[in-house]
Amino acid sequence: MQIEEAAVFFANNGLRYQIIDSIYSKGVTPGAIVEVLPAVGGKVKNGRIISVTLNAKGEQHAEIPDVVDLSYRQAYALIQAQGFTFIETKYVPGRHRDLAIKVESNGRTLKPGELIPVSAVLVLNVSDGLPGDEEEKSETEQDEVIEEH
């Protein structure tokens, strides 16, 4: 039932209502009532306020936090705290193990503060800490290469 229909019902029965929350569920019509308190069928005195939870009209969005140069654990926790639940980890070449590099979604790098749906799949890029390129080798390793020639 939509809130507009419920408002007429409440008014006809001497009840008042208050929208206390909204959630997003793909399987429910946007704007539909998801929950009422007290529950349907419960006894309510005349003039009491019925608490209503609606299905949101659109999907919930959240900001991408700035995770660059944070530890993997800090970055992951910060992303989760924003409400994101689908977080994958991708290790990429880098000097410092478990250092957050960037956040991606659908192959696109996301900027801190950007709003995206909380149901989006995020990829947290984290450095692997493995030496890979010549520039990442220690100075002694580079000196040994020069002395060999």
Side-chain angles (χ1 to χ4, degrees):
M1 175 182 285
Q2 295 290 319
I3 190 64
E4 294 81 11
E5 299 169 55
V8 172
F9 172 81
F10 292 144
N12 290 341
N13 289 287
L15 301 170
R16 298 181 304 163
Y17 72 94
Q18 177 180 9
I19 299 171
I20 59 166
D21 200 3
S22 66
I23 60 169
Y24 179 76
S25 179
K26 286 184 180 181
V28 179
T29 306
I33 295 175
V34 178
E35 181 181 30
V36 292
L37 293 173
V40 174
K43 293 185 180 189
V44 180
K45 292 181 180 179
N46 220 7
R48 293 294 176 146
I49 297 176
I50 307 296
S51 299
V52 178
T53 301
L54 301 179
N55 189 39
K57 302 232 182 225
E59 191 169 1
Q60 183 181 359
H61 286 66
E63 285 188 13
I64 295 297
D66 186 3
V67 298
V68 175
D69 292 335
L70 295 179
S71 72
Y72 166 73
R73 289 178 63 179
Q74 286 177 310
Y76 195 93
L78 200 52
I79 293 169
Q80 272 189 322
Q82 292 295 99
F84 297 101
T85 54
F86 303 107
I87 309 164
E88 298 175 359
T89 304
K90 177 180 174 185
Y91 281 92
V92 296
R95 284 182 192 240
H96 308 286
R97 177 137 179 92
D98 292 334
L99 185 69
I101 306 294
K102 64 181 176 179
V103 180
E104 298 176 321
S105 183
N106 295 323
R108 184 175 71 81
T109 299
L110 302 174
K111 296 176 183 156
E114 189 173 337
L115 284 173
I116 65 166
V118 293
S119 64
V121 176
L122 301 182
V123 179
L124 175 58
N125 285 248
V126 179
S127 63
D128 59 11
L130 301 175
D133 298 331
E134 279 296 316
E135 65 191 40
E136 291 185 3
K137 289 185 179 179
S138 72
E139 289 181 25
T140 34
E141 288 176 305
Q142 288 177 1
D143 289 343
E144 290 173 6
V145 171
I146 293 170
E147 291 174 11
E148 290 176 4
H149 293 329

